[in-house]
PDB file of all heavy atoms in Angstrom:
ATOM      1  N   PHE A 185       7.676  26.714 -28.495  1.00 91.00           N
ATOM      2  CA  PHE A 185       6.342  26.282 -28.910  1.00 91.00           C
ATOM      3  C   PHE A 185       6.459  24.977 -29.699  1.00 91.00           C
ATOM      4  O   PHE A 185       6.048  24.887 -30.854  1.00 91.00           O
ATOM      5  CB  PHE A 185       5.665  27.382 -29.721  1.00 91.00           C
ATOM      6  CG  PHE A 185       5.490  28.657 -28.941  1.00 91.00           C
ATOM      7  CD1 PHE A 185       6.229  29.793 -29.245  1.00 91.00           C
ATOM      8  CD2 PHE A 185       4.604  28.705 -27.872  1.00 91.00           C
ATOM      9  CE1 PHE A 185       6.072  30.953 -28.515  1.00 91.00           C
ATOM     10  CE2 PHE A 185       4.450  29.868 -27.124  1.00 91.00           C
ATOM     11  CZ  PHE A 185       5.188  30.995 -27.443  1.00 91.00           C
ATOM     12  N   GLN A 195      10.005  20.300 -21.012  1.00 97.00           N
ATOM     13  CA  GLN A 195       9.423  21.542 -20.487  1.00 97.00           C
ATOM     14  C   GLN A 195       8.675  21.284 -19.186  1.00 97.00           C
ATOM     15  O   GLN A 195       8.808  22.035 -18.212  1.00 97.00           O
ATOM     16  CB  GLN A 195       8.489  22.151 -21.542  1.00 97.00           C
ATOM     17  CG  GLN A 195       9.225  22.703 -22.758  1.00 97.00           C
ATOM     18  CD  GLN A 195       8.282  23.102 -23.879  1.00 97.00           C
ATOM     19  OE1 GLN A 195       7.156  22.624 -23.967  1.00 97.00           O
ATOM     20  NE2 GLN A 195       8.742  23.974 -24.755  1.00 97.00           N
ATOM     21  N   TYR A 196       7.879  20.214 -19.160  1.00 96.00           N
ATOM     22  CA  TYR A 196       7.187  19.859 -17.915  1.00 96.00           C
ATOM     23  C   TYR A 196       8.195  19.609 -16.797  1.00 96.00           C
ATOM     24  O   TYR A 196       7.989  20.008 -15.653  1.00 96.00           O
ATOM     25  CB  TYR A 196       6.341  18.606 -18.130  1.00 96.00           C
ATOM     26  CG  TYR A 196       4.939  18.853 -18.616  1.00 96.00           C
ATOM     27  CD1 TYR A 196       4.507  18.364 -19.832  1.00 96.00           C
ATOM     28  CD2 TYR A 196       4.028  19.555 -17.831  1.00 96.00           C
ATOM     29  CE1 TYR A 196       3.208  18.574 -20.275  1.00 96.00           C
ATOM     30  CE2 TYR A 196       2.731  19.768 -18.263  1.00 96.00           C
ATOM     31  CZ  TYR A 196       2.323  19.276 -19.487  1.00 96.00           C
ATOM     32  OH  TYR A 196       1.038  19.497 -19.914  1.00 96.00           O
ATOM     33  N   ILE A 199       9.673  22.892 -15.470  1.00 96.00           N
ATOM     34  CA  ILE A 199       8.671  23.604 -14.654  1.00 96.00           C
ATOM     35  C   ILE A 199       8.565  22.947 -13.277  1.00 96.00           C
ATOM     36  O   ILE A 199       8.555  23.618 -12.239  1.00 96.00           O
ATOM     37  CB  ILE A 199       7.299  23.596 -15.371  1.00 96.00           C
ATOM     38  CG1 ILE A 199       7.348  24.503 -16.607  1.00 96.00           C
ATOM     39  CG2 ILE A 199       6.194  24.060 -14.418  1.00 96.00           C
ATOM     40  CD1 ILE A 199       6.092  24.419 -17.475  1.00 96.00           C
ATOM     41  N   PHE A 202      11.664  23.678 -11.100  1.00 96.00           N
ATOM     42  CA  PHE A 202      11.634  25.046 -10.568  1.00 96.00           C
ATOM     43  C   PHE A 202      10.731  25.123  -9.344  1.00 96.00           C
ATOM     44  O   PHE A 202      11.106  25.667  -8.294  1.00 96.00           O
ATOM     45  CB  PHE A 202      11.147  26.016 -11.657  1.00 96.00           C
ATOM     46  CG  PHE A 202      10.699  27.342 -11.097  1.00 96.00           C
ATOM     47  CD1 PHE A 202      11.635  28.298 -10.720  1.00 96.00           C
ATOM     48  CD2 PHE A 202       9.342  27.627 -10.925  1.00 96.00           C
ATOM     49  CE1 PHE A 202      11.228  29.520 -10.185  1.00 96.00           C
ATOM     50  CE2 PHE A 202       8.924  28.842 -10.397  1.00 96.00           C
ATOM     51  CZ  PHE A 202       9.874  29.789 -10.019  1.00 96.00           C
ATOM     52  N   TRP A 203       9.525  24.564  -9.485  1.00 96.00           N
ATOM     53  CA  TRP A 203       8.589  24.611  -8.368  1.00 96.00           C
ATOM     54  C   TRP A 203       9.088  23.784  -7.179  1.00 96.00           C
ATOM     55  O   TRP A 203       8.835  24.123  -6.012  1.00 96.00           O
ATOM     56  CB  TRP A 203       7.209  24.131  -8.803  1.00 96.00           C
ATOM     57  CG  TRP A 203       6.405  25.156  -9.530  1.00 96.00           C
ATOM     58  CD1 TRP A 203       5.963  25.108 -10.813  1.00 96.00           C
ATOM     59  CD2 TRP A 203       5.925  26.401  -9.001  1.00 96.00           C
ATOM     60  NE1 TRP A 203       5.249  26.230 -11.127  1.00 96.00           N
ATOM     61  CE2 TRP A 203       5.203  27.053 -10.026  1.00 96.00           C
ATOM     62  CE3 TRP A 203       6.036  27.027  -7.760  1.00 96.00           C
ATOM     63  CZ2 TRP A 203       4.599  28.288  -9.852  1.00 96.00           C
ATOM     64  CZ3 TRP A 203       5.440  28.269  -7.582  1.00 96.00           C
ATOM     65  CH2 TRP A 203       4.734  28.885  -8.614  1.00 96.00           C
ATOM     66  N   PHE A 250       0.320  19.968  -6.739  1.00 93.00           N
ATOM     67  CA  PHE A 250      -0.232  20.287  -8.060  1.00 93.00           C
ATOM     68  C   PHE A 250       0.808  20.784  -9.064  1.00 93.00           C
ATOM     69  O   PHE A 250       0.597  20.650 -10.269  1.00 93.00           O
ATOM     70  CB  PHE A 250      -1.327  21.344  -7.912  1.00 93.00           C
ATOM     71  CG  PHE A 250      -2.478  20.874  -7.056  1.00 93.00           C
ATOM     72  CD1 PHE A 250      -2.757  21.479  -5.846  1.00 93.00           C
ATOM     73  CD2 PHE A 250      -3.255  19.802  -7.453  1.00 93.00           C
ATOM     74  CE1 PHE A 250      -3.807  21.042  -5.054  1.00 93.00           C
ATOM     75  CE2 PHE A 250      -4.306  19.348  -6.669  1.00 93.00           C
ATOM     76  CZ  PHE A 250      -4.584  19.974  -5.465  1.00 93.00           C
ATOM     77  N   PHE A 251       1.900  21.363  -8.605  1.00 95.00           N
ATOM     78  CA  PHE A 251       2.851  21.970  -9.549  1.00 95.00           C
ATOM     79  C   PHE A 251       4.202  21.256  -9.589  1.00 95.00           C
ATOM     80  O   PHE A 251       5.079  21.668 -10.332  1.00 95.00           O
ATOM     81  CB  PHE A 251       3.034  23.459  -9.229  1.00 95.00           C
ATOM     82  CG  PHE A 251       1.838  24.285  -9.590  1.00 95.00           C
ATOM     83  CD1 PHE A 251       0.760  24.393  -8.723  1.00 95.00           C
ATOM     84  CD2 PHE A 251       1.756  24.933 -10.815  1.00 95.00           C
ATOM     85  CE1 PHE A 251      -0.368  25.140  -9.056  1.00 95.00           C
ATOM     86  CE2 PHE A 251       0.644  25.682 -11.164  1.00 95.00           C
ATOM     87  CZ  PHE A 251      -0.423  25.782 -10.280  1.00 95.00           C
ATOM     88  N   PRO A 255       3.140  17.548 -12.708  1.00 94.00           N
ATOM     89  CA  PRO A 255       3.956  17.815 -13.915  1.00 94.00           C
ATOM     90  C   PRO A 255       5.127  16.849 -14.073  1.00 94.00           C
ATOM     91  O   PRO A 255       5.449  16.446 -15.192  1.00 94.00           O
ATOM     92  CB  PRO A 255       4.455  19.253 -13.688  1.00 94.00           C
ATOM     93  CG  PRO A 255       3.463  19.865 -12.779  1.00 94.00           C
ATOM     94  CD  PRO A 255       3.001  18.757 -11.878  1.00 94.00           C
ATOM     95  N   MET A 282       0.962  20.670 -26.758  1.00 96.00           N
ATOM     96  CA  MET A 282       1.669  21.947 -26.574  1.00 96.00           C
ATOM     97  C   MET A 282       0.808  22.921 -25.768  1.00 96.00           C
ATOM     98  O   MET A 282       1.308  23.616 -24.867  1.00 96.00           O
ATOM     99  CB  MET A 282       2.006  22.556 -27.940  1.00 96.00           C
ATOM    100  CG  MET A 282       2.705  23.906 -27.854  1.00 96.00           C
ATOM    101  SD  MET A 282       3.019  24.645 -29.465  1.00 96.00           S
ATOM    102  CE  MET A 282       1.366  25.071 -29.975  1.00 96.00           C
ATOM    103  N   LEU A 283      -0.481  22.962 -26.061  1.00 96.00           N
ATOM    104  CA  LEU A 283      -1.371  23.871 -25.334  1.00 96.00           C
ATOM    105  C   LEU A 283      -1.404  23.528 -23.844  1.00 96.00           C
ATOM    106  O   LEU A 283      -1.413  24.419 -22.990  1.00 96.00           O
ATOM    107  CB  LEU A 283      -2.784  23.793 -25.922  1.00 96.00           C
ATOM    108  CG  LEU A 283      -3.834  24.714 -25.295  1.00 96.00           C
ATOM    109  CD1 LEU A 283      -3.443  26.170 -25.465  1.00 96.00           C
ATOM    110  CD2 LEU A 283      -5.215  24.449 -25.917  1.00 96.00           C
ATOM    111  N   SER A 284      -1.383  22.237 -23.525  1.00 96.00           N
ATOM    112  CA  SER A 284      -1.478  21.839 -22.114  1.00 96.00           C
ATOM    113  C   SER A 284      -0.281  22.349 -21.314  1.00 96.00           C
ATOM    114  O   SER A 284      -0.440  22.832 -20.188  1.00 96.00           O
ATOM    115  CB  SER A 284      -1.591  20.320 -21.995  1.00 96.00           C
ATOM    116  OG  SER A 284      -0.371  19.694 -22.338  1.00 96.00           O
ATOM    117  N   VAL A 285       0.921  22.284 -21.868  1.00 96.00           N
ATOM    118  CA  VAL A 285       2.086  22.730 -21.099  1.00 96.00           C
ATOM    119  C   VAL A 285       2.082  24.247 -20.961  1.00 96.00           C
ATOM    120  O   VAL A 285       2.497  24.789 -19.932  1.00 96.00           O
ATOM    121  CB  VAL A 285       3.396  22.205 -21.722  1.00 96.00           C
ATOM    122  CG1 VAL A 285       3.752  22.920 -23.006  1.00 96.00           C
ATOM    123  CG2 VAL A 285       4.545  22.320 -20.730  1.00 96.00           C
ATOM    124  N   TRP A 286       1.574  24.955 -21.969  1.00 96.00           N
ATOM    125  CA  TRP A 286       1.556  26.409 -21.866  1.00 96.00           C
ATOM    126  C   TRP A 286       0.442  26.918 -20.954  1.00 96.00           C
ATOM    127  O   TRP A 286       0.576  27.980 -20.340  1.00 96.00           O
ATOM    128  CB  TRP A 286       1.495  27.038 -23.258  1.00 96.00           C
ATOM    129  CG  TRP A 286       2.874  27.038 -23.839  1.00 96.00           C
ATOM    130  CD1 TRP A 286       3.368  26.221 -24.802  1.00 96.00           C
ATOM    131  CD2 TRP A 286       3.966  27.855 -23.403  1.00 96.00           C
ATOM    132  NE1 TRP A 286       4.701  26.470 -25.010  1.00 96.00           N
ATOM    133  CE2 TRP A 286       5.090  27.476 -24.171  1.00 96.00           C
ATOM    134  CE3 TRP A 286       4.115  28.856 -22.459  1.00 96.00           C
ATOM    135  CZ2 TRP A 286       6.345  28.064 -24.009  1.00 96.00           C
ATOM    136  CZ3 TRP A 286       5.362  29.453 -22.297  1.00 96.00           C
ATOM    137  CH2 TRP A 286       6.443  29.048 -23.073  1.00 96.00           C
ATOM    138  N   VAL A 287      -0.633  26.154 -20.862  1.00 97.00           N
ATOM    139  CA  VAL A 287      -1.655  26.508 -19.862  1.00 97.00           C
ATOM    140  C   VAL A 287      -1.084  26.314 -18.463  1.00 97.00           C
ATOM    141  O   VAL A 287      -1.335  27.111 -17.551  1.00 97.00           O
ATOM    142  CB  VAL A 287      -2.927  25.661 -20.076  1.00 97.00           C
ATOM    143  CG1 VAL A 287      -3.895  25.827 -18.905  1.00 97.00           C
ATOM    144  CG2 VAL A 287      -3.619  26.074 -21.369  1.00 97.00           C
ATOM    145  N   LEU A 288      -0.280  25.265 -18.282  1.00 96.00           N
ATOM    146  CA  LEU A 288       0.376  25.075 -16.979  1.00 96.00           C
ATOM    147  C   LEU A 288       1.351  26.216 -16.700  1.00 96.00           C
ATOM    148  O   LEU A 288       1.439  26.707 -15.558  1.00 96.00           O
ATOM    149  CB  LEU A 288       1.122  23.741 -16.945  1.00 96.00           C
ATOM    150  CG  LEU A 288       1.900  23.480 -15.649  1.00 96.00           C
ATOM    151  CD1 LEU A 288       0.948  23.298 -14.468  1.00 96.00           C
ATOM    152  CD2 LEU A 288       2.806  22.252 -15.782  1.00 96.00           C
ATOM    153  N   ALA A 289       2.070  26.657 -17.733  1.00 97.00           N
ATOM    154  CA  ALA A 289       2.989  27.785 -17.538  1.00 97.00           C
ATOM    155  C   ALA A 289       2.221  29.040 -17.131  1.00 97.00           C
ATOM    156  O   ALA A 289       2.656  29.794 -16.249  1.00 97.00           O
ATOM    157  CB  ALA A 289       3.778  28.034 -18.827  1.00 97.00           C
ATOM    158  N   LEU A 290       1.050  29.265 -17.763  1.00 97.00           N
ATOM    159  CA  LEU A 290       0.223  30.421 -17.389  1.00 97.00           C
ATOM    160  C   LEU A 290      -0.257  30.288 -15.941  1.00 97.00           C
ATOM    161  O   LEU A 290      -0.227  31.273 -15.179  1.00 97.00           O
ATOM    162  CB  LEU A 290      -0.972  30.514 -18.343  1.00 97.00           C
ATOM    163  CG  LEU A 290      -1.986  31.629 -18.048  1.00 97.00           C
ATOM    164  CD1 LEU A 290      -1.322  33.002 -18.138  1.00 97.00           C
ATOM    165  CD2 LEU A 290      -3.180  31.536 -19.006  1.00 97.00           C
ATOM    166  N   ALA A 291      -0.692  29.083 -15.554  1.00 96.00           N
ATOM    167  CA  ALA A 291      -1.117  28.861 -14.167  1.00 96.00           C
ATOM    168  C   ALA A 291       0.036  29.142 -13.201  1.00 96.00           C
ATOM    169  O   ALA A 291      -0.164  29.717 -12.116  1.00 96.00           O
ATOM    170  CB  ALA A 291      -1.611  27.427 -13.999  1.00 96.00           C
ATOM    171  N   SER A 292       1.247  28.770 -13.611  1.00 96.00           N
ATOM    172  CA  SER A 292       2.417  29.010 -12.763  1.00 96.00           C
ATOM    173  C   SER A 292       2.662  30.502 -12.591  1.00 96.00           C
ATOM    174  O   SER A 292       2.949  30.978 -11.482  1.00 96.00           O
ATOM    175  CB  SER A 292       3.651  28.343 -13.376  1.00 96.00           C
ATOM    176  OG  SER A 292       3.491  26.951 -13.440  1.00 96.00           O
ATOM    177  N   LEU A 293       2.550  31.252 -13.683  1.00 96.00           N
ATOM    178  CA  LEU A 293       2.750  32.708 -13.601  1.00 96.00           C
ATOM    179  C   LEU A 293       1.710  33.354 -12.687  1.00 96.00           C
ATOM    180  O   LEU A 293       2.026  34.256 -11.899  1.00 96.00           O
ATOM    181  CB  LEU A 293       2.690  33.322 -15.002  1.00 96.00           C
ATOM    182  CG  LEU A 293       3.859  32.991 -15.925  1.00 96.00           C
ATOM    183  CD1 LEU A 293       3.620  33.561 -17.319  1.00 96.00           C
ATOM    184  CD2 LEU A 293       5.180  33.531 -15.350  1.00 96.00           C
ATOM    185  N   ILE A 294       0.468  32.886 -12.789  1.00 96.00           N
ATOM    186  CA  ILE A 294      -0.590  33.444 -11.935  1.00 96.00           C
ATOM    187  C   ILE A 294      -0.309  33.127 -10.471  1.00 96.00           C
ATOM    188  O   ILE A 294      -0.475  33.979  -9.588  1.00 96.00           O
ATOM    189  CB  ILE A 294      -1.958  32.897 -12.376  1.00 96.00           C
ATOM    190  CG1 ILE A 294      -2.322  33.492 -13.735  1.00 96.00           C
ATOM    191  CG2 ILE A 294      -3.038  33.198 -11.345  1.00 96.00           C
ATOM    192  CD1 ILE A 294      -3.564  32.887 -14.350  1.00 96.00           C
ATOM    193  N   LEU A 295       0.138  31.898 -10.208  1.00 96.00           N
ATOM    194  CA  LEU A 295       0.430  31.529  -8.810  1.00 96.00           C
ATOM    195  C   LEU A 295       1.603  32.344  -8.269  1.00 96.00           C
ATOM    196  O   LEU A 295       1.589  32.785  -7.112  1.00 96.00           O
ATOM    197  CB  LEU A 295       0.746  30.032  -8.725  1.00 96.00           C
ATOM    198  CG  LEU A 295       0.661  29.435  -7.313  1.00 96.00           C
ATOM    199  CD1 LEU A 295      -0.766  29.496  -6.784  1.00 96.00           C
ATOM    200  CD2 LEU A 295       1.156  27.990  -7.300  1.00 96.00           C
ATOM    201  N   ILE A 296       2.617  32.557  -9.102  1.00 95.00           N
ATOM    202  CA  ILE A 296       3.745  33.400  -8.670  1.00 95.00           C
ATOM    203  C   ILE A 296       3.258  34.826  -8.418  1.00 95.00           C
ATOM    204  O   ILE A 296       3.622  35.465  -7.418  1.00 95.00           O
ATOM    205  CB  ILE A 296       4.858  33.380  -9.743  1.00 95.00           C
ATOM    206  CG1 ILE A 296       5.497  31.995  -9.806  1.00 95.00           C
ATOM    207  CG2 ILE A 296       5.922  34.440  -9.427  1.00 95.00           C
ATOM    208  CD1 ILE A 296       6.444  31.819 -10.974  1.00 95.00           C
ATOM    209  N   GLY A 297       2.400  35.320  -9.321  1.00 95.00           N
ATOM    210  CA  GLY A 297       1.885  36.671  -9.168  1.00 95.00           C
ATOM    211  C   GLY A 297       1.105  36.859  -7.884  1.00 95.00           C
ATOM    212  O   GLY A 297       1.050  37.975  -7.337  1.00 95.00           O
ATOM    213  N   SER A 298       0.505  35.794  -7.373  1.00 95.00           N
ATOM    214  CA  SER A 298      -0.307  35.918  -6.156  1.00 95.00           C
ATOM    215  C   SER A 298       0.524  36.308  -4.936  1.00 95.00           C
ATOM    216  O   SER A 298      -0.019  36.790  -3.945  1.00 95.00           O
ATOM    217  CB  SER A 298      -1.056  34.609  -5.888  1.00 95.00           C
ATOM    218  OG  SER A 298      -0.172  33.600  -5.433  1.00 95.00           O
ATOM    219  N   ASP A 330      -8.143  34.541  -4.775  1.00 94.00           N
ATOM    220  CA  ASP A 330      -8.770  34.421  -6.097  1.00 94.00           C
ATOM    221  C   ASP A 330      -7.770  33.907  -7.136  1.00 94.00           C
ATOM    222  O   ASP A 330      -8.097  33.061  -7.973  1.00 94.00           O
ATOM    223  CB  ASP A 330      -9.319  35.782  -6.542  1.00 94.00           C
ATOM    224  CG  ASP A 330     -10.486  36.225  -5.667  1.00 94.00           C
ATOM    225  OD1 ASP A 330     -11.143  35.360  -5.069  1.00 94.00           O
ATOM    226  OD2 ASP A 330     -10.717  37.446  -5.575  1.00 94.00           O
ATOM    227  N   LEU A 331      -6.543  34.440  -7.076  1.00 96.00           N
ATOM    228  CA  LEU A 331      -5.524  33.980  -8.032  1.00 96.00           C
ATOM    229  C   LEU A 331      -5.161  32.524  -7.782  1.00 96.00           C
ATOM    230  O   LEU A 331      -4.868  31.770  -8.719  1.00 96.00           O
ATOM    231  CB  LEU A 331      -4.283  34.880  -7.933  1.00 96.00           C
ATOM    232  CG  LEU A 331      -4.486  36.323  -8.400  1.00 96.00           C
ATOM    233  CD1 LEU A 331      -3.223  37.147  -8.160  1.00 96.00           C
ATOM    234  CD2 LEU A 331      -4.871  36.363  -9.876  1.00 96.00           C
ATOM    235  N   TRP A 332      -5.161  32.115  -6.502  1.00 96.00           N
ATOM    236  CA  TRP A 332      -4.899  30.701  -6.168  1.00 96.00           C
ATOM    237  C   TRP A 332      -5.939  29.807  -6.825  1.00 96.00           C
ATOM    238  O   TRP A 332      -5.611  28.784  -7.439  1.00 96.00           O
ATOM    239  CB  TRP A 332      -4.914  30.549  -4.645  1.00 96.00           C
ATOM    240  CG  TRP A 332      -4.652  29.185  -4.101  1.00 96.00           C
ATOM    241  CD1 TRP A 332      -3.435  28.611  -3.891  1.00 96.00           C
ATOM    242  CD2 TRP A 332      -5.627  28.218  -3.663  1.00 96.00           C
ATOM    243  NE1 TRP A 332      -3.592  27.352  -3.342  1.00 96.00           N
ATOM    244  CE2 TRP A 332      -4.924  27.091  -3.193  1.00 96.00           C
ATOM    245  CE3 TRP A 332      -7.017  28.201  -3.612  1.00 96.00           C
ATOM    246  CZ2 TRP A 332      -5.576  25.969  -2.674  1.00 96.00           C
ATOM    247  CZ3 TRP A 332      -7.663  27.078  -3.107  1.00 96.00           C
ATOM    248  CH2 TRP A 332      -6.952  25.984  -2.655  1.00 96.00           C
ATOM    249  N   LEU A 333      -7.217  30.196  -6.707  1.00 94.00           N
ATOM    250  CA  LEU A 333      -8.291  29.404  -7.314  1.00 94.00           C
ATOM    251  C   LEU A 333      -8.163  29.386  -8.837  1.00 94.00           C
ATOM    252  O   LEU A 333      -8.346  28.344  -9.472  1.00 94.00           O
ATOM    253  CB  LEU A 333      -9.652  29.977  -6.911  1.00 94.00           C
ATOM    254  CG  LEU A 333     -10.098  29.681  -5.478  1.00 94.00           C
ATOM    255  CD1 LEU A 333     -11.275  30.570  -5.093  1.00 94.00           C
ATOM    256  CD2 LEU A 333     -10.473  28.215  -5.323  1.00 94.00           C
ATOM    257  N   LEU A 334      -7.841  30.530  -9.419  1.00 94.00           N
ATOM    258  CA  LEU A 334      -7.700  30.601 -10.872  1.00 94.00           C
ATOM    259  C   LEU A 334      -6.537  29.741 -11.358  1.00 94.00           C
ATOM    260  O   LEU A 334      -6.648  29.018 -12.359  1.00 94.00           O
ATOM    261  CB  LEU A 334      -7.500  32.060 -11.300  1.00 94.00           C
ATOM    262  CG  LEU A 334      -7.354  32.320 -12.794  1.00 94.00           C
ATOM    263  CD1 LEU A 334      -8.594  31.837 -13.547  1.00 94.00           C
ATOM    264  CD2 LEU A 334      -7.113  33.810 -13.061  1.00 94.00           C
ATOM    265  N   ALA A 335      -5.413  29.804 -10.619  1.00 95.00           N
ATOM    266  CA  ALA A 335      -4.252  28.994 -11.006  1.00 95.00           C
ATOM    267  C   ALA A 335      -4.570  27.509 -10.937  1.00 95.00           C
ATOM    268  O   ALA A 335      -4.196  26.732 -11.824  1.00 95.00           O
ATOM    269  CB  ALA A 335      -3.062  29.324 -10.087  1.00 95.00           C
ATOM    270  N   LEU A 336      -5.292  27.109  -9.896  1.00 94.00           N
ATOM    271  CA  LEU A 336      -5.639  25.688  -9.791  1.00 94.00           C
ATOM    272  C   LEU A 336      -6.586  25.272 -10.914  1.00 94.00           C
ATOM    273  O   LEU A 336      -6.431  24.188 -11.494  1.00 94.00           O
ATOM    274  CB  LEU A 336      -6.285  25.406  -8.434  1.00 94.00           C
ATOM    275  CG  LEU A 336      -5.351  25.283  -7.232  1.00 94.00           C
ATOM    276  CD1 LEU A 336      -6.123  24.799  -6.017  1.00 94.00           C
ATOM    277  CD2 LEU A 336      -4.209  24.314  -7.518  1.00 94.00           C
ATOM    278  N   ALA A 337      -7.571  26.129 -11.218  1.00 92.00           N
ATOM    279  CA  ALA A 337      -8.511  25.780 -12.291  1.00 92.00           C
ATOM    280  C   ALA A 337      -7.769  25.609 -13.615  1.00 92.00           C
ATOM    281  O   ALA A 337      -8.044  24.675 -14.384  1.00 92.00           O
ATOM    282  CB  ALA A 337      -9.589  26.852 -12.403  1.00 92.00           C
ATOM    283  N   LEU A 338      -6.807  26.489 -13.883  1.00 94.00           N
ATOM    284  CA  LEU A 338      -6.025  26.361 -15.123  1.00 94.00           C
ATOM    285  C   LEU A 338      -5.149  25.120 -15.097  1.00 94.00           C
ATOM    286  O   LEU A 338      -4.993  24.427 -16.115  1.00 94.00           O
ATOM    287  CB  LEU A 338      -5.157  27.614 -15.313  1.00 94.00           C
ATOM    288  CG  LEU A 338      -5.894  28.883 -15.740  1.00 94.00           C
ATOM    289  CD1 LEU A 338      -4.964  30.087 -15.685  1.00 94.00           C
ATOM    290  CD2 LEU A 338      -6.455  28.713 -17.159  1.00 94.00           C
ATOM    291  N   GLU A 339      -4.570  24.829 -13.935  1.00 94.00           N
ATOM    292  CA  GLU A 339      -3.737  23.634 -13.836  1.00 94.00           C
ATOM    293  C   GLU A 339      -4.557  22.383 -14.108  1.00 94.00           C
ATOM    294  O   GLU A 339      -4.118  21.471 -14.810  1.00 94.00           O
ATOM    295  CB  GLU A 339      -3.100  23.579 -12.439  1.00 94.00           C
ATOM    296  CG  GLU A 339      -1.908  22.642 -12.328  1.00 94.00           C
ATOM    297  CD  GLU A 339      -2.270  21.308 -11.743  1.00 94.00           C
ATOM    298  OE1 GLU A 339      -3.472  21.039 -11.508  1.00 94.00           O
ATOM    299  OE2 GLU A 339      -1.379  20.500 -11.529  1.00 94.00           O
ATOM    300  N   PHE A 340      -5.775  22.346 -13.557  1.00 93.00           N
ATOM    301  CA  PHE A 340      -6.646  21.194 -13.816  1.00 93.00           C
ATOM    302  C   PHE A 340      -6.984  21.116 -15.308  1.00 93.00           C
ATOM    303  O   PHE A 340      -7.014  20.025 -15.888  1.00 93.00           O
ATOM    304  CB  PHE A 340      -7.933  21.315 -13.001  1.00 93.00           C
ATOM    305  CG  PHE A 340      -7.716  21.208 -11.511  1.00 93.00           C
ATOM    306  CD1 PHE A 340      -8.602  21.807 -10.632  1.00 93.00           C
ATOM    307  CD2 PHE A 340      -6.628  20.516 -10.986  1.00 93.00           C
ATOM    308  CE1 PHE A 340      -8.413  21.722  -9.259  1.00 93.00           C
ATOM    309  CE2 PHE A 340      -6.425  20.438  -9.627  1.00 93.00           C
ATOM    310  CZ  PHE A 340      -7.318  21.037  -8.747  1.00 93.00           C
ATOM    311  N   GLY A 341      -7.256  22.269 -15.920  1.00 93.00           N
ATOM    312  CA  GLY A 341      -7.545  22.265 -17.347  1.00 93.00           C
ATOM    313  C   GLY A 341      -6.379  21.748 -18.162  1.00 93.00           C
ATOM    314  O   GLY A 341      -6.557  20.989 -19.128  1.00 93.00           O
ATOM    315  N   SER A 342      -5.175  22.132 -17.757  1.00 95.00           N
ATOM    316  CA  SER A 342      -3.973  21.656 -18.443  1.00 95.00           C
ATOM    317  C   SER A 342      -3.886  20.133 -18.394  1.00 95.00           C
ATOM    318  O   SER A 342      -3.604  19.482 -19.408  1.00 95.00           O
ATOM    319  CB  SER A 342      -2.729  22.291 -17.792  1.00 95.00           C
ATOM    320  OG  SER A 342      -1.568  21.574 -18.144  1.00 95.00           O
ATOM    321  N   PHE A 343      -4.162  19.565 -17.235  1.00 94.00           N
ATOM    322  CA  PHE A 343      -4.015  18.113 -17.117  1.00 94.00           C
ATOM    323  C   PHE A 343      -5.195  17.361 -17.718  1.00 94.00           C
ATOM    324  O   PHE A 343      -5.058  16.183 -18.053  1.00 94.00           O
ATOM    325  CB  PHE A 343      -3.769  17.730 -15.653  1.00 94.00           C
ATOM    326  CG  PHE A 343      -2.340  17.988 -15.270  1.00 94.00           C
ATOM    327  CD1 PHE A 343      -1.958  19.209 -14.757  1.00 94.00           C
ATOM    328  CD2 PHE A 343      -1.365  17.030 -15.488  1.00 94.00           C
ATOM    329  CE1 PHE A 343      -0.638  19.475 -14.452  1.00 94.00           C
ATOM    330  CE2 PHE A 343      -0.045  17.280 -15.187  1.00 94.00           C
ATOM    331  CZ  PHE A 343       0.330  18.510 -14.670  1.00 94.00           C
ATOM    332  N   MET A 345      -6.362  18.276 -20.626  1.00 94.00           N
ATOM    333  CA  MET A 345      -5.879  18.180 -22.009  1.00 94.00           C
ATOM    334  C   MET A 345      -4.802  17.107 -22.138  1.00 94.00           C
ATOM    335  O   MET A 345      -4.796  16.305 -23.074  1.00 94.00           O
ATOM    336  CB  MET A 345      -5.349  19.535 -22.470  1.00 94.00           C
ATOM    337  CG  MET A 345      -6.425  20.574 -22.682  1.00 94.00           C
ATOM    338  SD  MET A 345      -5.777  22.125 -23.343  1.00 94.00           S
ATOM    339  CE  MET A 345      -5.346  22.983 -21.859  1.00 94.00           C
TER     340      MET A 345
END
Side-chain angles (χ1 to χ4, degrees):
F185 299 110
Q195 290 171 337
Y196 271 118
I199 290 173
F202 163 78
W203 280 117
F250 299 115
F251 288 84
M282 178 183 70
L283 182 61
S284 70
V285 73
W286 280 105
V287 170
L288 177 67
L290 177 61
S292 297
L293 290 175
I294 290 173
L295 197 65
I296 292 171
S298 73
D330 293 336
L331 293 176
W332 181 83
L333 285 166
L334 181 59
L336 281 189
L338 286 171
E339 197 261 6
F340 293 154
S342 163
F343 281 90
M345 289 184 272

